Amino acid sequence: MAVVLVTGGARGIGLSIAQAFLESGHQVMIGDLGSSGSDWSYALASRADMQRAVSQGESIKSVELDVTRIDSCKAAVRETVDCFGGLDILVNNAGIVGSGPLADFNEAEWDRIFAVNTKGIFLMTQAALSELQNSNLAAIVNTASIAGKQGVPNMSAYCGSKFAAIGITQSLALELAANDITVNAVCPGIVGTAMWLDHLLPSNFAVTDEKKQNFEELMAKRIPLGRPQTTEDIAAAVMYLATARNVTGIALTVAGGIELN
């Protein structure tokens, strides 16, 4: 049984990752913004989201976490160790997206995207490293994106941050191999979370169910396998990467064939 810390774990992909580990018998700490959340172009996790996430049993707990602050990262690791006695697996899943033409892109928004998506991996890994070095099951999985493998128009900040996430993953895989810590990345394709439904693919539908149906119809035409990816698809890939002891330094695409490499 491993102790797992999932950042951005209160909903969406992060919540499915946390649930997958929980259902496999592991102890899980989810870290998310909660009441310290900031305004963004779509809703971020709330304290209520965190409370719902931990209502599944005694083996899942939550801690408020801002991955852009080293003190918050260290506190999340301490809380995990205090609750469960150690830390074996770190899933750096927290992330945000912003889009728009470069000529009009806001500098503060650019900095925030890199602070969460890139610096957040650095700070959380640094905060967790000493605990991971004490584990016989140590693994780090970073959530990157297919946008970290191929550029997309009007998304230079997001793509840049996710390309960086893959580069950091490869570097850390080599650096931490001597400590028997595996480091990999998962690259989600098109998943019907708030990032896509409320920001990247706005529609004329106000009702959530209609918006999701419209999204699925569009993706059926766009994705070779004929369906969008689910949060559970990404969680299954993370579970593999976190437990495959002879796999390190890879960026595993889960995208239904929309991105090939």
Side-chain angles (χ1 to χ4, degrees), residues 125-190:
T125 303
Q126 188 178 66
L129 189 55
S130 62
E131 292 297 331
L132 294 174
Q133 288 172 334
N134 293 328
S135 171
N136 294 322
L137 303 170
I140 300 168
V141 183
N142 301 320
T143 299
S145 171
I146 58 171
K149 292 186 172 183
Q150 181 173 336
V152 180
N154 298 319
M155 294 191 67
S156 56
Y158 184 74
C159 289
S161 71
K162 293 302 186 177
F163 268 82
I166 293 174
I168 293 168
T169 297
Q170 293 176 354
S171 179
L172 289 179
L174 296 175
E175 180 177 341
L176 301 181
N179 300 109
D180 200 25
I181 301 173
T182 64
V183 188
N184 293 289
V186 64
C187 296
I190 303 177

Coordinates of all heavy atoms in Angstrom, one line a residue, residues 125-190:
T125 N 8.0 18.9 -6.2 CA 9.0 17.9 -6.2 C 10.1 18.2 -5.2 O 10.5 17.3 -4.5 CB 9.6 17.7 -7.6 OG1 8.5 17.4 -8.5 CG2 10.5 16.5 -7.7
Q126 N 10.5 19.4 -5.1 CA 11.5 19.8 -4.2 C 11.0 19.6 -2.8 O 11.8 19.0 -1.9 CB 11.9 21.2 -4.4 CG 13.1 21.7 -3.6 CD 13.5 23.1 -3.9 OE1 12.8 24.0 -3.5 NE2 14.7 23.3 -4.5
A127 N 9.8 19.9 -2.5 CA 9.2 19.8 -1.1 C 9.1 18.3 -0.8 O 9.2 17.9 0.4 CB 7.9 20.5 -1.1
A128 N 8.8 17.4 -1.7 CA 8.5 16.0 -1.5 C 9.8 15.1 -1.5 O 9.7 14.0 -1.1 CB 7.5 15.5 -2.4
L129 N 10.9 15.7 -2.0 CA 12.0 14.8 -2.4 C 12.6 14.0 -1.2 O 12.8 12.8 -1.4 CB 13.1 15.7 -3.0 CG 14.3 14.9 -3.6 CD1 13.8 13.9 -4.7 CD2 15.3 15.9 -4.3
S130 N 12.7 14.6 -0.1 CA 13.3 13.9 1.0 C 12.4 12.7 1.5 O 13.0 11.6 1.8 CB 13.6 14.8 2.2 OG 12.4 15.3 2.7
E131 N 11.1 12.9 1.4 CA 10.2 11.8 1.8 C 10.3 10.7 0.7 O 10.3 9.5 1.0 CB 8.8 12.3 1.9 CG 8.6 13.2 3.1 CD 8.9 12.4 4.5 OE1 8.7 11.2 4.5 OE2 9.3 13.1 5.4
L132 N 10.3 11.1 -0.6 CA 10.3 10.1 -1.7 C 11.6 9.3 -1.6 O 11.6 8.1 -1.9 CB 10.2 10.8 -3.0 CG 8.9 11.5 -3.3 CD1 9.0 12.3 -4.6 CD2 7.8 10.5 -3.4
Q133 N 12.7 9.9 -1.2 CA 14.0 9.2 -1.1 C 14.0 8.1 0.0 O 14.8 7.2 -0.1 CB 15.1 10.2 -0.8 CG 15.5 11.0 -2.0 CD 16.5 12.1 -1.7 OE1 16.5 12.6 -0.6 NE2 17.2 12.6 -2.7
N134 N 13.0 8.2 0.9 CA 12.9 7.2 2.0 C 12.0 6.0 1.6 O 11.8 5.1 2.4 CB 12.4 7.8 3.2 CG 13.4 8.8 3.9 OD1 14.6 8.6 3.7 ND2 12.9 9.8 4.5
S135 N 11.4 6.1 0.4 CA 10.4 5.1 0.0 C 11.0 4.1 -1.0 O 11.9 4.4 -1.8 CB 9.2 5.8 -0.7 OG 8.4 4.9 -1.3
N136 N 10.5 2.9 -0.9 CA 10.9 1.8 -1.8 C 9.9 1.8 -3.0 O 10.1 0.9 -3.9 CB 10.8 0.4 -1.1 CG 11.9 0.3 0.0 OD1 13.0 0.8 -0.2 ND2 11.5 -0.3 1.1
L137 N 8.9 2.6 -3.0 CA 8.0 2.6 -4.1 C 7.9 4.0 -4.8 O 6.9 4.3 -5.5 CB 6.6 2.3 -3.6 CG 6.4 1.0 -2.8 CD1 5.0 1.0 -2.1 CD2 6.6 -0.2 -3.8
A138 N 9.0 4.8 -4.7 CA 8.9 6.2 -5.1 C 8.7 6.4 -6.5 O 9.3 5.8 -7.4 CB 10.2 6.9 -4.6
A139 N 7.7 7.3 -6.8 CA 7.4 7.7 -8.2 C 6.8 9.1 -8.3 O 6.1 9.5 -7.3 CB 6.4 6.7 -8.8
I140 N 7.1 9.7 -9.3 CA 6.5 11.1 -9.6 C 5.9 11.0 -11.0 O 6.5 10.5 -11.9 CB 7.6 12.1 -9.6 CG1 8.3 12.2 -8.3 CG2 7.0 13.5 -10.0 CD1 9.6 13.1 -8.3
V141 N 4.6 11.4 -11.1 CA 3.9 11.5 -12.4 C 3.5 13.0 -12.5 O 2.8 13.5 -11.7 CB 2.7 10.6 -12.5 CG1 2.1 10.7 -13.8 CG2 3.2 9.1 -12.2
N142 N 3.9 13.6 -13.6 CA 3.5 14.9 -14.0 C 2.4 15.0 -15.0 O 2.6 14.3 -16.0 CB 4.7 15.7 -14.4 CG 5.8 15.8 -13.4 OD1 5.6 15.9 -12.2 ND2 7.1 15.6 -13.8
T143 N 1.4 15.8 -14.9 CA 0.4 15.9 -15.9 C 0.9 17.0 -16.9 O 0.9 18.2 -16.6 CB -1.0 16.3 -15.3 OG1 -1.4 15.3 -14.4 CG2 -2.0 16.5 -16.4
A144 N 1.2 16.5 -18.1 CA 1.6 17.4 -19.2 C 0.3 17.6 -20.1 O -0.8 17.8 -19.6 CB 2.8 16.9 -19.9
S145 N 0.5 17.4 -21.4 CA -0.6 17.5 -22.3 C -0.1 17.2 -23.7 O 1.1 17.2 -24.0 CB -1.1 19.0 -22.3 OG -2.0 19.2 -23.4
I146 N -1.0 16.8 -24.6 CA -0.6 16.7 -26.0 C -0.1 18.1 -26.6 O 0.6 18.2 -27.5 CB -1.7 16.1 -26.9 CG1 -3.0 17.0 -26.9 CG2 -2.0 14.7 -26.6 CD1 -4.0 16.6 -27.9
A147 N -0.6 19.2 -25.9 CA -0.1 20.5 -26.2 C 1.3 20.7 -25.8 O 1.9 21.8 -26.1 CB -1.0 21.6 -25.6
G148 N 1.9 19.8 -25.1 CA 3.3 19.8 -24.8 C 4.2 19.0 -25.7 O 5.4 18.9 -25.6
K149 N 3.5 18.5 -26.8 CA 4.3 17.8 -27.8 C 4.1 18.4 -29.2 O 5.0 18.2 -30.1 CB 3.8 16.3 -27.9 CG 4.1 15.5 -26.7 CD 3.7 14.0 -26.9 CE 4.2 13.2 -25.8 NZ 3.9 11.7 -26.0
Q150 N 3.1 19.2 -29.4 CA 2.9 19.9 -30.6 C 2.2 21.2 -30.4 O 1.2 21.3 -29.6 CB 2.0 19.1 -31.6 CG 1.8 19.7 -32.9 CD 1.1 18.8 -33.9 OE1 1.1 17.6 -33.7 NE2 0.4 19.3 -34.9
G151 N 2.7 22.3 -30.9 CA 2.2 23.6 -30.7 C 0.8 23.8 -31.3 O 0.4 23.2 -32.2
V152 N 0.0 24.7 -30.6 CA -1.3 25.0 -31.1 C -1.5 26.5 -31.2 O -1.0 27.3 -30.3 CB -2.4 24.5 -30.0 CG1 -3.8 24.8 -30.5 CG2 -2.2 23.0 -29.8
P153 N -2.1 27.0 -32.2 CA -2.2 28.5 -32.4 C -2.9 29.1 -31.2 O -3.8 28.5 -30.6 CB -3.0 28.6 -33.7 CG -2.8 27.4 -34.4 CD -2.7 26.3 -33.4
N154 N -2.5 30.3 -30.8 CA -3.1 31.1 -29.8 C -3.0 30.4 -28.4 O -3.8 30.8 -27.5 CB -4.6 31.3 -30.1 CG -4.8 32.2 -31.3 OD1 -4.0 33.1 -31.6 ND2 -5.8 31.8 -32.1
M155 N -2.1 29.5 -28.2 CA -1.9 28.9 -26.9 C -0.4 28.8 -26.6 O 0.1 27.8 -26.0 CB -2.5 27.5 -26.9 CG -4.0 27.5 -27.0 SD -4.8 25.9 -26.7 CE -4.4 25.7 -25.0
S156 N 0.3 29.8 -26.9 CA 1.8 29.8 -26.7 C 2.2 29.6 -25.2 O 3.1 28.9 -24.9 CB 2.5 31.0 -27.3 OG 1.9 32.2 -26.7
A157 N 1.4 30.2 -24.3 CA 1.7 30.1 -22.9 C 1.5 28.7 -22.4 O 2.3 28.1 -21.7 CB 0.9 31.1 -22.1
Y158 N 0.3 28.2 -22.7 CA 0.0 26.8 -22.2 C 0.9 25.8 -22.9 O 1.4 24.9 -22.1 CB -1.5 26.5 -22.6 CG -2.0 25.2 -22.0 CD1 -2.2 25.0 -20.7 CD2 -2.2 24.1 -22.9 CE1 -2.6 23.8 -20.2 CE2 -2.6 22.9 -22.4 CZ -2.8 22.7 -21.1 OH -3.3 21.5 -20.6
C159 N 1.1 25.9 -24.2 CA 2.0 24.9 -24.8 C 3.4 25.0 -24.3 O 4.0 24.0 -24.0 CB 2.0 25.2 -26.3 SG 0.5 24.7 -27.2
G160 N 3.9 26.2 -24.1 CA 5.2 26.4 -23.5 C 5.4 25.8 -22.2 O 6.4 25.1 -21.9
S161 N 4.3 26.0 -21.3 CA 4.4 25.4 -20.0 C 4.4 23.9 -20.0 O 5.0 23.3 -19.2 CB 3.2 26.0 -19.1 OG 2.0 25.4 -19.5
K162 N 3.6 23.3 -20.9 CA 3.5 21.9 -21.0 C 4.7 21.2 -21.7 O 5.2 20.1 -21.3 CB 2.2 21.4 -21.6 CG 1.0 21.8 -20.8 CD 1.0 21.2 -19.4 CE -0.3 21.4 -18.7 NZ -0.3 20.8 -17.3
F163 N 5.3 21.9 -22.7 CA 6.6 21.4 -23.2 C 7.6 21.4 -22.1 O 8.4 20.5 -22.0 CB 7.1 22.4 -24.4 CG 6.7 22.0 -25.7 CD1 5.4 22.3 -26.2 CD2 7.5 21.3 -26.6 CE1 5.0 21.9 -27.5 CE2 7.2 21.0 -27.9 CZ 5.9 21.3 -28.3
A164 N 7.6 22.5 -21.3 CA 8.6 22.5 -20.2 C 8.3 21.4 -19.2 O 9.3 20.8 -18.6 CB 8.4 23.9 -19.5
A165 N 7.1 21.1 -18.9 CA 6.8 20.0 -18.0 C 7.4 18.7 -18.5 O 7.9 17.9 -17.7 CB 5.2 19.8 -17.9
I166 N 7.3 18.4 -19.8 CA 7.9 17.2 -20.3 C 9.5 17.3 -20.2 O 10.1 16.3 -19.8 CB 7.5 17.0 -21.8 CG1 6.0 16.7 -21.8 CG2 8.3 15.9 -22.4 CD1 5.4 16.6 -23.2
G167 N 10.1 18.4 -20.5 CA 11.5 18.6 -20.3 C 11.9 18.4 -18.9 O 13.0 17.7 -18.6
I168 N 11.2 18.9 -17.9 CA 11.5 18.7 -16.5 C 11.4 17.2 -16.2 O 12.2 16.7 -15.4 CB 10.6 19.6 -15.6 CG1 10.8 21.1 -15.8 CG2 10.7 19.2 -14.2 CD1 9.8 22.0 -15.3
T169 N 10.4 16.6 -16.7 CA 10.2 15.2 -16.4 C 11.4 14.4 -16.9 O 11.9 13.5 -16.1 CB 8.9 14.7 -17.2 OG1 7.8 15.3 -16.6 CG2 8.7 13.2 -17.0
Q170 N 11.9 14.6 -18.1 CA 13.0 13.9 -18.6 C 14.2 14.1 -17.8 O 15.0 13.2 -17.5 CB 13.2 14.2 -20.1 CG 12.1 13.8 -21.0 CD 12.3 14.2 -22.4 OE1 13.2 15.0 -22.7 NE2 11.5 13.8 -23.3
S171 N 14.5 15.4 -17.4 CA 15.7 15.7 -16.6 C 15.6 15.1 -15.3 O 16.6 14.5 -14.8 CB 15.8 17.3 -16.5 OG 16.9 17.6 -15.7
L172 N 14.5 15.1 -14.6 CA 14.4 14.6 -13.3 C 14.5 13.0 -13.3 O 15.0 12.4 -12.4 CB 13.1 15.0 -12.6 CG 13.0 16.4 -12.2 CD1 11.6 16.7 -11.5 CD2 14.1 16.8 -11.2
A173 N 14.0 12.4 -14.4 CA 14.1 11.0 -14.5 C 15.5 10.5 -14.5 O 15.9 9.5 -13.8 CB 13.4 10.5 -15.8
L174 N 16.4 11.3 -15.1 CA 17.8 10.9 -15.1 C 18.4 11.3 -13.8 O 19.3 10.6 -13.3 CB 18.5 11.6 -16.3 CG 18.1 11.2 -17.7 CD1 18.7 12.1 -18.7 CD2 18.3 9.8 -17.9
E175 N 18.1 12.5 -13.3 CA 18.7 12.9 -12.0 C 18.3 12.0 -10.8 O 19.2 11.8 -10.0 CB 18.2 14.3 -11.7 CG 18.8 14.9 -10.5 CD 18.3 16.4 -10.3 OE1 17.9 17.0 -11.2 OE2 18.4 16.9 -9.1
L176 N 17.1 11.5 -10.8 CA 16.6 10.8 -9.6 C 16.7 9.3 -9.8 O 16.3 8.5 -8.9 CB 15.2 11.2 -9.3 CG 15.0 12.7 -9.0 CD1 13.5 13.0 -8.7 CD2 15.9 13.2 -7.9
A177 N 17.2 8.8 -10.9 CA 17.3 7.4 -11.2 C 18.2 6.7 -10.1 O 17.9 5.6 -9.7 CB 17.8 7.1 -12.6
A178 N 19.2 7.4 -9.7 CA 20.1 6.9 -8.7 C 19.5 6.6 -7.4 O 19.9 5.8 -6.6 CB 21.3 7.8 -8.5
N179 N 18.4 7.4 -7.1 CA 17.6 7.2 -5.9 C 16.4 6.2 -6.1 O 15.6 6.0 -5.2 CB 17.0 8.5 -5.4 CG 18.1 9.5 -5.1 OD1 18.2 10.5 -5.9 ND2 18.8 9.3 -4.1
D180 N 16.4 5.5 -7.3 CA 15.3 4.6 -7.6 C 13.9 5.3 -7.6 O 12.9 4.7 -7.2 CB 15.3 3.4 -6.7 CG 14.6 2.2 -7.3 OD1 14.5 2.1 -8.6 OD2 14.1 1.3 -6.6
I181 N 13.9 6.5 -8.0 CA 12.6 7.3 -8.1 C 12.3 7.4 -9.6 O 13.1 8.0 -10.4 CB 12.7 8.7 -7.5 CG1 13.1 8.6 -6.0 CG2 11.4 9.4 -7.7 CD1 13.4 9.9 -5.4
T182 N 11.2 6.8 -10.0 CA 10.8 7.0 -11.4 C 10.0 8.3 -11.6 O 9.3 8.8 -10.7 CB 9.9 5.8 -11.9 OG1 8.6 5.9 -11.1 CG2 10.5 4.5 -11.7
V183 N 10.2 8.9 -12.8 CA 9.6 10.2 -13.1 C 9.0 10.1 -14.5 O 9.8 9.9 -15.5 CB 10.6 11.4 -13.0 CG1 9.8 12.7 -13.1 CG2 11.3 11.3 -11.7
N184 N 7.7 10.2 -14.6 CA 7.1 10.2 -16.0 C 6.0 11.2 -16.1 O 5.7 11.9 -15.1 CB 6.4 8.8 -16.1 CG 7.5 7.7 -16.2 OD1 8.2 7.5 -17.2 ND2 7.6 6.8 -15.2
A185 N 5.5 11.4 -17.3 CA 4.5 12.4 -17.5 C 3.3 11.7 -18.3 O 3.6 10.8 -19.1 CB 5.0 13.6 -18.4
V186 N 2.1 12.1 -18.0 CA 1.0 11.7 -18.8 C 0.5 12.9 -19.6 O 0.5 14.1 -19.1 CB -0.2 11.2 -17.9 CG1 -0.7 12.3 -17.0 CG2 -1.3 10.6 -18.7
C187 N 0.1 12.7 -20.9 CA -0.3 13.7 -21.8 C -1.7 13.5 -22.2 O -2.0 12.8 -23.2 CB 0.7 13.7 -23.0 SG 2.4 14.1 -22.6
P188 N -2.7 14.1 -21.5 CA -4.1 14.0 -21.9 C -4.3 14.6 -23.2 O -3.7 15.6 -23.6 CB -4.8 14.7 -20.7 CG -3.8 14.7 -19.6 CD -2.5 14.8 -20.2
G189 N -5.3 14.0 -23.9 CA -5.8 14.6 -25.1 C -6.9 15.6 -24.8 O -6.7 16.6 -24.2
I190 N -8.1 15.3 -25.3 CA -9.2 16.2 -25.1 C -10.2 15.6 -24.2 O -10.9 14.6 -24.5 CB -9.9 16.5 -26.5 CG1 -8.9 17.0 -27.5 CG2 -11.1 17.4 -26.3 CD1 -9.4 17.3 -28.9

